[in-house]
Amino acid sequence: MERGGARGFLPPFAHFATQAIHAGQEPEQWRSAAVVPPISLSTTFKQLGPGQHAGYEYSRSGNPTRDCLEKAVAVLDGAKYCLAYASGLAATLNITHLLKAGDTIICMDDVYGGTNRYFRKVAMKMGLSVVFVDCTKPECLEAAITPATKLVWIETPTNPTLKVIDIQACADVVHKHKDVLLVVDNTFMSAYFQRPLSLGADICMYSATKYMNGHSDVVMGLVSVNCDDLYERLKFLQNSLGAVPSPFDCYMCNRGLKTLQIRMKQHFHNALAVARFLESDSRVEKVIFPGLPSHPQHELIKRQCTGCPGMITFYIKGNLEHAATFLKNLKVFTLAESLGGYESLAEHPAIMTHSSVPKEDREALGISDTLIRLSVGLEDEEDLLEDLDQALKAAFADHKV
C-alpha cells in the first residue's frame, strides 16, 4: 500500500481517522467534560415536569451512549443519520418492517446465510415475497423488478464467494422505479473501504459484530441513511420493535471505531500476502480475493472502494476430507464462525455459516465441500503464512499434488 492509499483504488476518505476519534464524542456534552464518553446504564431519566424531558426518557427510545456511537458511524458513512440495533439480523428485521404483506424483496443470490435464512423462513411466512437474483448483472436485476418490488438487498463483496456488485449500476436500475429502496450490506468492507450511500444506495447496513467493532466481543447491527423520512420510519421501528443494543455494547463498538482505519489497513496488507501465497500453492485449486488482479471484478472494486478487507475464500484441491484436515490442523487461524476481528479465523461455509442455504442453491453458487473462508487478522504475516503451509502439508500428508 502506498502512503496515500492502496494502489489503483479510490483515495482514502478524507479525515476518516480524525472523525472516527472525535465525531459525536465532544466532552462538552457531559457535565463532567469526560473525554471518553461514559456508559449510561440508566434505563430511565428524570423529567422536569410531565412530558418535559431533557432529550431522554427511556433507554430503549434513546440512550446517551448509543447516541455517541450513532453520531460517529453516521459521519464515517458520509450519512446524515445512523441507528444501532442488537445484531446485524435485528437491523435486517427492522429494515424489512418498512414493507407490508404482498411486497416483494429482490435479494442477491449469494448472501450471508443468516440473511438467506431470515428471508426464506421468516419474512416469506409473514406475507413477503423474496426473489434471489444475481445482481452482479444489472440486466438480471432489471428483469426481476415488478410493480410489487419495494426493496433490493445486495452484499458486496458477497458472502462467501466474494462477488463484487456495481452499487452505482444497481442504484441506477432501482431508482428508475418509484418507491423501491436499495439496501447494501456493507459488513465485509466497513465504512473505511466503502461508502454505499455515496454510490446511490438508500440504506447502508452492517453487522457491526465484524469489522466495525473489530474485537469479536460485541454483537450489534448498524443502519445509516440520508433521507429524513426514511430515518423517522426506521427510528419509530427501532423503538417499537425494541431490538436495541446495550449501552455497554455501544461503548465497546464506539471504542472499536477509534482503531478502524489502522486495523483495516493491516487486514488488507495481511490478506493480500495470504492471497498471493495461496494463489501460488499447488495444493490450492482457486483463490477468490477482490484485491488480486485474477479476481473477475478487480477493476470494479478499485473503482468503488478504497481497499479490501481481510476476507479470502479458496478451493482446496481434493475433497471434504482434505478441507476438514486442513481446518483441524490450523494453529494461528482459529476454526470458528464470524469474521472481522483482530484474530484470524477459518471456516467451512457449506457445513458452518451457510448450512441453512438449500443444498441445490449452495451447489449452484459454488459453496462446495472444498470451499474454505478465511478472515485474515492482524497477526504477523510470516506466522500466518507458516500456519497455512503446515496445515496444507497435513491435509496432503499422504498425497502428492
PDB file of all heavy atoms in Angstrom, residues 314-345:
ATOM      1  N   PHE A 314     -11.125 -19.765  -0.746  1.00  0.00           N
ATOM      2  CA  PHE A 314     -10.356 -20.548  -1.704  1.00  0.00           C
ATOM      3  C   PHE A 314     -10.861 -21.981  -1.728  1.00  0.00           C
ATOM      4  O   PHE A 314     -11.483 -22.461  -0.784  1.00  0.00           O
ATOM      5  CB  PHE A 314      -8.853 -20.500  -1.391  1.00  0.00           C
ATOM      6  CG  PHE A 314      -8.417 -21.265  -0.171  1.00  0.00           C
ATOM      7  CD1 PHE A 314      -7.930 -22.564  -0.272  1.00  0.00           C
ATOM      8  CD2 PHE A 314      -8.474 -20.680   1.091  1.00  0.00           C
ATOM      9  CE1 PHE A 314      -7.515 -23.269   0.845  1.00  0.00           C
ATOM     10  CE2 PHE A 314      -8.064 -21.369   2.219  1.00  0.00           C
ATOM     11  CZ  PHE A 314      -7.577 -22.677   2.099  1.00  0.00           C
ATOM     12  N   TYR A 315     -10.605 -22.618  -2.852  1.00  0.00           N
ATOM     13  CA  TYR A 315     -10.938 -24.025  -3.025  1.00  0.00           C
ATOM     14  C   TYR A 315      -9.663 -24.842  -2.847  1.00  0.00           C
ATOM     15  O   TYR A 315      -8.687 -24.651  -3.591  1.00  0.00           O
ATOM     16  CB  TYR A 315     -11.521 -24.284  -4.417  1.00  0.00           C
ATOM     17  CG  TYR A 315     -12.881 -23.649  -4.643  1.00  0.00           C
ATOM     18  CD1 TYR A 315     -12.982 -22.371  -5.184  1.00  0.00           C
ATOM     19  CD2 TYR A 315     -14.050 -24.329  -4.323  1.00  0.00           C
ATOM     20  CE1 TYR A 315     -14.221 -21.782  -5.408  1.00  0.00           C
ATOM     21  CE2 TYR A 315     -15.295 -23.753  -4.544  1.00  0.00           C
ATOM     22  CZ  TYR A 315     -15.376 -22.480  -5.080  1.00  0.00           C
ATOM     23  OH  TYR A 315     -16.602 -21.898  -5.295  1.00  0.00           O
ATOM     24  N   ILE A 316      -9.679 -25.715  -1.864  1.00  0.00           N
ATOM     25  CA  ILE A 316      -8.550 -26.611  -1.669  1.00  0.00           C
ATOM     26  C   ILE A 316      -8.710 -27.789  -2.623  1.00  0.00           C
ATOM     27  O   ILE A 316      -9.832 -28.204  -2.933  1.00  0.00           O
ATOM     28  CB  ILE A 316      -8.479 -27.090  -0.196  1.00  0.00           C
ATOM     29  CG1 ILE A 316      -7.149 -27.783   0.093  1.00  0.00           C
ATOM     30  CG2 ILE A 316      -9.664 -27.990   0.157  1.00  0.00           C
ATOM     31  CD1 ILE A 316      -6.907 -28.057   1.583  1.00  0.00           C
ATOM     32  N   LYS A 317      -7.619 -28.301  -3.140  1.00  0.00           N
ATOM     33  CA  LYS A 317      -7.705 -29.476  -4.005  1.00  0.00           C
ATOM     34  C   LYS A 317      -8.136 -30.691  -3.182  1.00  0.00           C
ATOM     35  O   LYS A 317      -7.941 -30.733  -1.973  1.00  0.00           O
ATOM     36  CB  LYS A 317      -6.367 -29.731  -4.692  1.00  0.00           C
ATOM     37  CG  LYS A 317      -6.063 -28.739  -5.803  1.00  0.00           C
ATOM     38  CD  LYS A 317      -4.795 -29.101  -6.548  1.00  0.00           C
ATOM     39  CE  LYS A 317      -4.553 -28.128  -7.709  1.00  0.00           C
ATOM     40  NZ  LYS A 317      -3.291 -28.432  -8.426  1.00  0.00           N
ATOM     41  N   GLY A 318      -8.710 -31.675  -3.847  1.00  0.00           N
ATOM     42  CA  GLY A 318      -9.122 -32.875  -3.142  1.00  0.00           C
ATOM     43  C   GLY A 318     -10.608 -32.898  -2.865  1.00  0.00           C
ATOM     44  O   GLY A 318     -11.423 -32.560  -3.721  1.00  0.00           O
ATOM     45  N   ASN A 319     -10.966 -33.236  -1.626  1.00  0.00           N
ATOM     46  CA  ASN A 319     -12.371 -33.399  -1.260  1.00  0.00           C
ATOM     47  C   ASN A 319     -12.626 -32.872   0.146  1.00  0.00           C
ATOM     48  O   ASN A 319     -11.760 -32.193   0.725  1.00  0.00           O
ATOM     49  CB  ASN A 319     -12.775 -34.880  -1.376  1.00  0.00           C
ATOM     50  CG  ASN A 319     -11.805 -35.790  -0.620  1.00  0.00           C
ATOM     51  OD1 ASN A 319     -11.323 -35.429   0.462  1.00  0.00           O
ATOM     52  ND2 ASN A 319     -11.509 -36.952  -1.177  1.00  0.00           N
ATOM     53  N   LEU A 320     -13.781 -33.203   0.699  1.00  0.00           N
ATOM     54  CA  LEU A 320     -14.149 -32.733   2.035  1.00  0.00           C
ATOM     55  C   LEU A 320     -13.129 -33.146   3.087  1.00  0.00           C
ATOM     56  O   LEU A 320     -12.826 -32.383   4.013  1.00  0.00           O
ATOM     57  CB  LEU A 320     -15.539 -33.262   2.410  1.00  0.00           C
ATOM     58  CG  LEU A 320     -16.050 -32.925   3.819  1.00  0.00           C
ATOM     59  CD1 LEU A 320     -16.103 -31.421   4.045  1.00  0.00           C
ATOM     60  CD2 LEU A 320     -17.425 -33.552   4.043  1.00  0.00           C
ATOM     61  N   GLU A 321     -12.584 -34.340   2.951  1.00  0.00           N
ATOM     62  CA  GLU A 321     -11.595 -34.820   3.923  1.00  0.00           C
ATOM     63  C   GLU A 321     -10.364 -33.910   3.953  1.00  0.00           C
ATOM     64  O   GLU A 321      -9.823 -33.591   5.015  1.00  0.00           O
ATOM     65  CB  GLU A 321     -11.180 -36.252   3.590  1.00  0.00           C
ATOM     66  CG  GLU A 321     -10.181 -36.843   4.577  1.00  0.00           C
ATOM     67  CD  GLU A 321      -9.721 -38.238   4.196  1.00  0.00           C
ATOM     68  OE1 GLU A 321     -10.289 -38.806   3.237  1.00  0.00           O
ATOM     69  OE2 GLU A 321      -8.793 -38.748   4.854  1.00  0.00           O
ATOM     70  N   HIS A 322      -9.921 -33.474   2.786  1.00  0.00           N
ATOM     71  CA  HIS A 322      -8.773 -32.569   2.720  1.00  0.00           C
ATOM     72  C   HIS A 322      -9.099 -31.225   3.365  1.00  0.00           C
ATOM     73  O   HIS A 322      -8.286 -30.671   4.111  1.00  0.00           O
ATOM     74  CB  HIS A 322      -8.344 -32.363   1.262  1.00  0.00           C
ATOM     75  CG  HIS A 322      -7.800 -33.582   0.618  1.00  0.00           C
ATOM     76  ND1 HIS A 322      -8.593 -34.455  -0.089  1.00  0.00           N
ATOM     77  CD2 HIS A 322      -6.544 -34.095   0.562  1.00  0.00           C
ATOM     78  CE1 HIS A 322      -7.855 -35.449  -0.559  1.00  0.00           C
ATOM     79  NE2 HIS A 322      -6.604 -35.260  -0.183  1.00  0.00           N
ATOM     80  N   ALA A 323     -10.295 -30.720   3.079  1.00  0.00           N
ATOM     81  CA  ALA A 323     -10.703 -29.440   3.670  1.00  0.00           C
ATOM     82  C   ALA A 323     -10.782 -29.546   5.187  1.00  0.00           C
ATOM     83  O   ALA A 323     -10.301 -28.665   5.919  1.00  0.00           O
ATOM     84  CB  ALA A 323     -12.055 -29.011   3.090  1.00  0.00           C
ATOM     85  N   ALA A 324     -11.394 -30.610   5.682  1.00  0.00           N
ATOM     86  CA  ALA A 324     -11.554 -30.788   7.131  1.00  0.00           C
ATOM     87  C   ALA A 324     -10.206 -30.965   7.817  1.00  0.00           C
ATOM     88  O   ALA A 324      -9.963 -30.395   8.899  1.00  0.00           O
ATOM     89  CB  ALA A 324     -12.456 -31.986   7.407  1.00  0.00           C
ATOM     90  N   THR A 325      -9.315 -31.746   7.211  1.00  0.00           N
ATOM     91  CA  THR A 325      -7.984 -31.950   7.805  1.00  0.00           C
ATOM     92  C   THR A 325      -7.208 -30.645   7.853  1.00  0.00           C
ATOM     93  O   THR A 325      -6.541 -30.331   8.856  1.00  0.00           O
ATOM     94  CB  THR A 325      -7.199 -32.998   6.994  1.00  0.00           C
ATOM     95  OG1 THR A 325      -7.948 -34.220   6.962  1.00  0.00           O
ATOM     96  CG2 THR A 325      -5.840 -33.268   7.627  1.00  0.00           C
ATOM     97  N   PHE A 326      -7.290 -29.879   6.781  1.00  0.00           N
ATOM     98  CA  PHE A 326      -6.648 -28.561   6.761  1.00  0.00           C
ATOM     99  C   PHE A 326      -7.155 -27.692   7.905  1.00  0.00           C
ATOM    100  O   PHE A 326      -6.364 -27.120   8.675  1.00  0.00           O
ATOM    101  CB  PHE A 326      -6.915 -27.880   5.416  1.00  0.00           C
ATOM    102  CG  PHE A 326      -6.549 -26.416   5.379  1.00  0.00           C
ATOM    103  CD1 PHE A 326      -5.240 -26.014   5.165  1.00  0.00           C
ATOM    104  CD2 PHE A 326      -7.516 -25.439   5.568  1.00  0.00           C
ATOM    105  CE1 PHE A 326      -4.895 -24.663   5.144  1.00  0.00           C
ATOM    106  CE2 PHE A 326      -7.191 -24.087   5.541  1.00  0.00           C
ATOM    107  CZ  PHE A 326      -5.868 -23.700   5.339  1.00  0.00           C
ATOM    108  N   LEU A 327      -8.466 -27.605   8.048  1.00  0.00           N
ATOM    109  CA  LEU A 327      -9.059 -26.732   9.070  1.00  0.00           C
ATOM    110  C   LEU A 327      -8.701 -27.195  10.482  1.00  0.00           C
ATOM    111  O   LEU A 327      -8.436 -26.381  11.371  1.00  0.00           O
ATOM    112  CB  LEU A 327     -10.579 -26.677   8.890  1.00  0.00           C
ATOM    113  CG  LEU A 327     -11.055 -25.907   7.649  1.00  0.00           C
ATOM    114  CD1 LEU A 327     -12.530 -26.182   7.375  1.00  0.00           C
ATOM    115  CD2 LEU A 327     -10.819 -24.408   7.812  1.00  0.00           C
ATOM    116  N   LYS A 328      -8.690 -28.499  10.697  1.00  0.00           N
ATOM    117  CA  LYS A 328      -8.400 -29.024  12.039  1.00  0.00           C
ATOM    118  C   LYS A 328      -6.935 -28.870  12.432  1.00  0.00           C
ATOM    119  O   LYS A 328      -6.601 -28.910  13.621  1.00  0.00           O
ATOM    120  CB  LYS A 328      -8.813 -30.497  12.126  1.00  0.00           C
ATOM    121  CG  LYS A 328     -10.319 -30.705  12.177  1.00  0.00           C
ATOM    122  CD  LYS A 328     -10.715 -32.139  12.454  1.00  0.00           C
ATOM    123  CE  LYS A 328     -10.522 -33.023  11.256  1.00  0.00           C
ATOM    124  NZ  LYS A 328     -11.109 -34.382  11.463  1.00  0.00           N
ATOM    125  N   ASN A 329      -6.066 -28.669  11.454  1.00  0.00           N
ATOM    126  CA  ASN A 329      -4.637 -28.562  11.744  1.00  0.00           C
ATOM    127  C   ASN A 329      -4.128 -27.123  11.846  1.00  0.00           C
ATOM    128  O   ASN A 329      -2.944 -26.905  12.121  1.00  0.00           O
ATOM    129  CB  ASN A 329      -3.835 -29.329  10.693  1.00  0.00           C
ATOM    130  CG  ASN A 329      -3.774 -30.813  10.996  1.00  0.00           C
ATOM    131  OD1 ASN A 329      -2.943 -31.277  11.784  1.00  0.00           O
ATOM    132  ND2 ASN A 329      -4.686 -31.573  10.401  1.00  0.00           N
ATOM    133  N   LEU A 330      -4.988 -26.169  11.631  1.00  0.00           N
ATOM    134  CA  LEU A 330      -4.570 -24.770  11.780  1.00  0.00           C
ATOM    135  C   LEU A 330      -4.251 -24.463  13.239  1.00  0.00           C
ATOM    136  O   LEU A 330      -4.910 -24.960  14.157  1.00  0.00           O
ATOM    137  CB  LEU A 330      -5.675 -23.839  11.280  1.00  0.00           C
ATOM    138  CG  LEU A 330      -5.921 -23.828   9.767  1.00  0.00           C
ATOM    139  CD1 LEU A 330      -7.224 -23.114   9.439  1.00  0.00           C
ATOM    140  CD2 LEU A 330      -4.748 -23.170   9.032  1.00  0.00           C
ATOM    141  N   LYS A 331      -3.249 -23.625  13.445  1.00  0.00           N
ATOM    142  CA  LYS A 331      -2.840 -23.284  14.817  1.00  0.00           C
ATOM    143  C   LYS A 331      -2.948 -21.788  15.121  1.00  0.00           C
ATOM    144  O   LYS A 331      -3.352 -21.401  16.208  1.00  0.00           O
ATOM    145  CB  LYS A 331      -1.408 -23.761  15.051  1.00  0.00           C
ATOM    146  CG  LYS A 331      -1.269 -25.290  15.026  1.00  0.00           C
ATOM    147  CD  LYS A 331       0.178 -25.723  15.210  1.00  0.00           C
ATOM    148  CE  LYS A 331       0.284 -27.237  15.380  1.00  0.00           C
ATOM    149  NZ  LYS A 331      -0.262 -27.992  14.227  1.00  0.00           N
ATOM    150  N   VAL A 332      -2.586 -20.952  14.167  1.00  0.00           N
ATOM    151  CA  VAL A 332      -2.737 -19.498  14.355  1.00  0.00           C
ATOM    152  C   VAL A 332      -4.160 -19.091  13.980  1.00  0.00           C
ATOM    153  O   VAL A 332      -4.830 -18.369  14.719  1.00  0.00           O
ATOM    154  CB  VAL A 332      -1.706 -18.714  13.525  1.00  0.00           C
ATOM    155  CG1 VAL A 332      -1.921 -17.204  13.685  1.00  0.00           C
ATOM    156  CG2 VAL A 332      -0.293 -19.089  13.962  1.00  0.00           C
ATOM    157  N   PHE A 333      -4.625 -19.550  12.834  1.00  0.00           N
ATOM    158  CA  PHE A 333      -6.031 -19.378  12.470  1.00  0.00           C
ATOM    159  C   PHE A 333      -6.877 -20.245  13.405  1.00  0.00           C
ATOM    160  O   PHE A 333      -6.499 -21.385  13.712  1.00  0.00           O
ATOM    161  CB  PHE A 333      -6.281 -19.825  11.024  1.00  0.00           C
ATOM    162  CG  PHE A 333      -5.822 -18.860   9.975  1.00  0.00           C
ATOM    163  CD1 PHE A 333      -4.501 -18.828   9.578  1.00  0.00           C
ATOM    164  CD2 PHE A 333      -6.731 -17.986   9.371  1.00  0.00           C
ATOM    165  CE1 PHE A 333      -4.074 -17.953   8.589  1.00  0.00           C
ATOM    166  CE2 PHE A 333      -6.318 -17.109   8.381  1.00  0.00           C
ATOM    167  CZ  PHE A 333      -4.997 -17.080   7.993  1.00  0.00           C
ATOM    168  N   THR A 334      -8.014 -19.715  13.838  1.00  0.00           N
ATOM    169  CA  THR A 334      -8.936 -20.467  14.680  1.00  0.00           C
ATOM    170  C   THR A 334     -10.117 -20.932  13.841  1.00  0.00           C
ATOM    171  O   THR A 334     -10.676 -20.148  13.073  1.00  0.00           O
ATOM    172  CB  THR A 334      -9.453 -19.598  15.844  1.00  0.00           C
ATOM    173  OG1 THR A 334      -8.337 -19.187  16.641  1.00  0.00           O
ATOM    174  CG2 THR A 334     -10.437 -20.356  16.716  1.00  0.00           C
ATOM    175  N   LEU A 335     -10.489 -22.202  13.992  1.00  0.00           N
ATOM    176  CA  LEU A 335     -11.663 -22.732  13.305  1.00  0.00           C
ATOM    177  C   LEU A 335     -12.900 -22.230  14.038  1.00  0.00           C
ATOM    178  O   LEU A 335     -13.239 -22.708  15.129  1.00  0.00           O
ATOM    179  CB  LEU A 335     -11.624 -24.261  13.281  1.00  0.00           C
ATOM    180  CG  LEU A 335     -12.844 -24.973  12.670  1.00  0.00           C
ATOM    181  CD1 LEU A 335     -13.085 -24.529  11.236  1.00  0.00           C
ATOM    182  CD2 LEU A 335     -12.670 -26.491  12.745  1.00  0.00           C
ATOM    183  N   ALA A 336     -13.569 -21.240  13.461  1.00  0.00           N
ATOM    184  CA  ALA A 336     -14.718 -20.621  14.115  1.00  0.00           C
ATOM    185  C   ALA A 336     -15.507 -19.804  13.108  1.00  0.00           C
ATOM    186  O   ALA A 336     -14.965 -19.348  12.095  1.00  0.00           O
ATOM    187  CB  ALA A 336     -14.268 -19.712  15.267  1.00  0.00           C
ATOM    188  N   GLU A 337     -16.783 -19.616  13.397  1.00  0.00           N
ATOM    189  CA  GLU A 337     -17.620 -18.745  12.581  1.00  0.00           C
ATOM    190  C   GLU A 337     -17.324 -17.286  12.904  1.00  0.00           C
ATOM    191  O   GLU A 337     -16.559 -16.971  13.803  1.00  0.00           O
ATOM    192  CB  GLU A 337     -19.102 -19.079  12.808  1.00  0.00           C
ATOM    193  CG  GLU A 337     -19.467 -20.477  12.341  1.00  0.00           C
ATOM    194  CD  GLU A 337     -20.964 -20.735  12.339  1.00  0.00           C
ATOM    195  OE1 GLU A 337     -21.738 -19.788  12.604  1.00  0.00           O
ATOM    196  OE2 GLU A 337     -21.360 -21.884  12.059  1.00  0.00           O
ATOM    197  N   SER A 338     -17.992 -16.396  12.177  1.00  0.00           N
ATOM    198  CA  SER A 338     -17.835 -14.945  12.275  1.00  0.00           C
ATOM    199  C   SER A 338     -16.562 -14.503  11.562  1.00  0.00           C
ATOM    200  O   SER A 338     -15.852 -15.308  10.929  1.00  0.00           O
ATOM    201  CB  SER A 338     -17.860 -14.440  13.713  1.00  0.00           C
ATOM    202  OG  SER A 338     -18.161 -13.052  13.737  1.00  0.00           O
ATOM    203  N   LEU A 339     -16.266 -13.209  11.663  1.00  0.00           N
ATOM    204  CA  LEU A 339     -15.169 -12.622  10.888  1.00  0.00           C
ATOM    205  C   LEU A 339     -14.934 -11.200  11.365  1.00  0.00           C
ATOM    206  O   LEU A 339     -15.700 -10.661  12.176  1.00  0.00           O
ATOM    207  CB  LEU A 339     -15.538 -12.610   9.395  1.00  0.00           C
ATOM    208  CG  LEU A 339     -16.824 -11.840   9.040  1.00  0.00           C
ATOM    209  CD1 LEU A 339     -16.527 -10.474   8.396  1.00  0.00           C
ATOM    210  CD2 LEU A 339     -17.701 -12.658   8.112  1.00  0.00           C
ATOM    211  N   GLY A 340     -13.868 -10.599  10.864  1.00  0.00           N
ATOM    212  CA  GLY A 340     -13.652  -9.168  11.073  1.00  0.00           C
ATOM    213  C   GLY A 340     -13.009  -8.785  12.378  1.00  0.00           C
ATOM    214  O   GLY A 340     -12.858  -7.596  12.663  1.00  0.00           O
ATOM    215  N   GLY A 341     -12.610  -9.760  13.205  1.00  0.00           N
ATOM    216  CA  GLY A 341     -11.908  -9.441  14.444  1.00  0.00           C
ATOM    217  C   GLY A 341     -10.413  -9.338  14.212  1.00  0.00           C
ATOM    218  O   GLY A 341      -9.904  -9.606  13.119  1.00  0.00           O
ATOM    219  N   TYR A 342      -9.686  -8.973  15.260  1.00  0.00           N
ATOM    220  CA  TYR A 342      -8.235  -8.850  15.137  1.00  0.00           C
ATOM    221  C   TYR A 342      -7.572 -10.205  14.960  1.00  0.00           C
ATOM    222  O   TYR A 342      -6.460 -10.310  14.457  1.00  0.00           O
ATOM    223  CB  TYR A 342      -7.640  -8.147  16.361  1.00  0.00           C
ATOM    224  CG  TYR A 342      -8.036  -8.741  17.692  1.00  0.00           C
ATOM    225  CD1 TYR A 342      -7.457  -9.915  18.166  1.00  0.00           C
ATOM    226  CD2 TYR A 342      -8.994  -8.126  18.491  1.00  0.00           C
ATOM    227  CE1 TYR A 342      -7.821 -10.465  19.377  1.00  0.00           C
ATOM    228  CE2 TYR A 342      -9.364  -8.669  19.703  1.00  0.00           C
ATOM    229  CZ  TYR A 342      -8.778  -9.841  20.155  1.00  0.00           C
ATOM    230  OH  TYR A 342      -9.144 -10.387  21.352  1.00  0.00           O
ATOM    231  N   GLU A 343      -8.281 -11.292  15.352  1.00  0.00           N
ATOM    232  CA  GLU A 343      -7.728 -12.641  15.246  1.00  0.00           C
ATOM    233  C   GLU A 343      -8.115 -13.268  13.906  1.00  0.00           C
ATOM    234  O   GLU A 343      -9.165 -12.976  13.354  1.00  0.00           O
ATOM    235  CB  GLU A 343      -8.238 -13.519  16.396  1.00  0.00           C
ATOM    236  CG  GLU A 343      -9.688 -13.984  16.296  1.00  0.00           C
ATOM    237  CD  GLU A 343     -10.745 -12.903  16.454  1.00  0.00           C
ATOM    238  OE1 GLU A 343     -10.400 -11.773  16.864  1.00  0.00           O
ATOM    239  OE2 GLU A 343     -11.924 -13.191  16.179  1.00  0.00           O
ATOM    240  N   SER A 344      -7.261 -14.137  13.400  1.00  0.00           N
ATOM    241  CA  SER A 344      -7.550 -14.813  12.138  1.00  0.00           C
ATOM    242  C   SER A 344      -8.451 -16.019  12.370  1.00  0.00           C
ATOM    243  O   SER A 344      -8.217 -16.810  13.294  1.00  0.00           O
ATOM    244  CB  SER A 344      -6.244 -15.269  11.465  1.00  0.00           C
ATOM    245  OG  SER A 344      -5.513 -14.153  11.000  1.00  0.00           O
ATOM    246  N   LEU A 345      -9.475 -16.140  11.525  1.00  0.00           N
ATOM    247  CA  LEU A 345     -10.442 -17.219  11.631  1.00  0.00           C
ATOM    248  C   LEU A 345     -10.534 -17.966  10.300  1.00  0.00           C
ATOM    249  O   LEU A 345     -10.306 -17.393   9.236  1.00  0.00           O
ATOM    250  CB  LEU A 345     -11.824 -16.679  12.002  1.00  0.00           C
ATOM    251  CG  LEU A 345     -11.955 -15.889  13.300  1.00  0.00           C
ATOM    252  CD1 LEU A 345     -13.376 -15.339  13.445  1.00  0.00           C
ATOM    253  CD2 LEU A 345     -11.598 -16.742  14.502  1.00  0.00           C
TER     254      LEU A 345
END
